[in-house]
Amino acid sequence: MFKRLCIIGIGLIGGSIAKAVRAEGLCQQVVALGREKNLPNMQRALELGVVDAVYTDAAQAMAGTDCVIICTPVGSMQAIFEQLKPCWNPQTIYSDAGSTKGSVVEAARAVFGEVPSNFVPAHPIAGAERSGVEAAMADLYRNRRVIVTPLPNTDPQAADKLSELWQRIGASVSVMAVEHHDTVLAATSHLPHILAFALVGMLGRKDEQREIFKYAAGGFKDFSRIASSDPTMWQDICLANKQEIIPLIQQFQTELGQFERMLQADDAQALFDAFSYAKQARQRFLETFDDPT
């Protein structure tokens, strides 16, 4: 598909893309671009065979590159675009893997004036407890969703080729408007991460934390898993999408208040009804989730 793929940010997400692309034989060469301070991590990617070469100079990394995927935290996107601007190639397909899309689009506009037609925003909905290139997996995206969010001026051929890349490494691709993506992901990903961070933080500050965690059931481990996510990445995501997240936090506080009042009133029927509705909603989610379309 491509002669040379450049990954900017060769951690779990970028490293897994590199591994998957190499495993499927979708490009002749995979390289990494990063800052000097990230050179040890890039060298480790080279040692592990995740990439063929590493660069700290954008012009060198872009030479001969026909696909670029930016896998850095969304807060660094504008700086990345500034770095790429002098060597931006109209014939190259550029994309990203950021968890918010509105902030990425605005970063591109701030640098280029308008979003280049060969930049295709995208978001692979996948992750793991561990981070870094050593955690990269060739099958991370298999049977996972990737949301592509083209803009009105996006080159359709670039969007189609990027979608094909994701499909060929096992992902199911959906197309969504930028604004709709950020609204949906605020509810289904960003708020749950905040809740997990908040709950684990609250319990961790309790004096009896060892007893709490010692006897925690499997459900707590499952729910709290996402609190192991990269703090820098999630700091950027939450700040970038705060306009969507804050109303959801307020709604959740209202829901918790209702449960508090049910308990204070010993209202067993109201609790049962609330739990039953949530159970049914969860079942609808499972039925939807099992549908790969």
Side-chain angles (χ1 to χ4, degrees):
M1 286 190 69
F2 296 102
K3 292 181 180 179
R4 177 158 143 144
L5 168 68
C6 179
I7 302 291
I8 303 177
I10 193 76
L12 169 67
I13 299 301
S16 295
I17 294 172
K19 278 193 166 186
V21 165
R22 289 166 70 86
E24 296 298 324
L26 301 180
C27 67
Q28 297 174 18
Q29 186 182 41
V30 182
V31 303
L33 170 64
R35 293 177 292 182
E36 286 284 349
K37 72 174 188 178
N38 294 326
L39 193 54
N41 181 66
M42 291 195 294
Q43 292 288 0
R44 183 59 178 152
L46 191 60
E47 293 169 5
L48 293 170
V50 177
V51 296
D52 299 301
V54 300
Y55 299 92
T56 56
D57 180 81
Q60 292 179 355
M62 293 302 108
T65 293
D66 51 356
C67 184
V68 177
I69 303 180
I70 307 169
C71 302
T72 60
V74 291
S76 66
M77 287 292 179
Q78 186 165 334
I80 297 294
F81 288 135
E82 293 280 7
Q83 185 182 19
L84 294 176
K85 185 177 181 180
C87 50
W88 192 272
N89 185 347
Q91 306 306 314
T92 297
I93 294 175
Y94 297 82
S95 187
D96 76 305
S99 295
T100 62
K101 303 279 42 110
S103 65
V104 173
V105 168
E106 286 308 309
R109 286 191 179 126
V111 173
F112 296 100
E114 66 175 3
V115 181
S117 61
N118 57 333
F119 176 69
V120 186
H123 175 207
I125 305 177
E129 286 191 47
R130 296 174 60 215
S131 59
V133 70
E134 293 185 349
M137 299 174 283
D139 62 350
L140 180 65
Y141 305 108
R142 189 160 299 281
N143 299 320
R144 299 295 186 93
R145 292 183 185 273
V146 172
I147 301 175
V148 176
T149 60
L151 300 169
N153 73 317
T154 301
D155 180 352
Q157 292 184 331
D160 288 345
K161 194 164 186 180
L162 181 76
S163 296
E164 182 185 351
L165 175 69
W166 282 112
Q167 289 166 345
R168 291 181 67 175
I169 62 174
S172 173
V173 175
S174 301
V175 178
M176 194 177 288
V178 167
E179 297 79 7
H180 187 48
H181 168 278
D182 287 357
T183 298
V184 169
L185 269 293
T188 58
S189 176
H190 307 165
L191 178 64
H193 274 80
I194 288 175
L195 299 181
F197 282 125
L199 177 61
V200 175
M202 181 190 76
L203 297 181
R205 284 187 290 271
K206 283 187 171 292
D207 293 338
E208 65 273 32
Q209 65 180 45
R210 290 184 180 178
E211 288 293 301
I212 288 175
F213 291 134
K214 180 179 178 180
Y215 294 104
F220 174 79
K221 183 178 180 180
D222 291 341
F223 175 78
S224 63
R225 175 187 60 80
I226 54 178
S228 296
S229 301
D230 181 11
T232 299
M233 180 180 75
W234 280 96
Q235 164 195 286
D236 285 357
I237 290 170
C238 290
L239 289 174
N241 206 27
K242 67 179 183 179
Q243 297 304 318
E244 297 288 347
I245 296 171
I246 290 172
L248 291 170
I249 292 175
Q250 294 168 342
Q251 292 172 29
F252 191 78
Q253 289 172 330
T254 299
E255 290 288 329
L256 282 180
Q258 291 176 351
F259 276 98
E260 180 182 5
R261 288 188 289 275
M262 293 175 202
L263 292 170
Q264 288 176 337
D266 289 325
D267 193 338
Q269 185 60 51
L271 280 170
F272 179 83
D273 291 344
F275 293 157
S276 296
Y277 176 80
K279 177 181 172 68
Q280 293 166 7
R282 164 72 173 169
Q283 187 58 43
R284 291 197 302 273
F285 159 74
L286 290 175
E287 292 168 357
T288 301
F289 184 79
D290 288 340
D291 180 1
T293 60

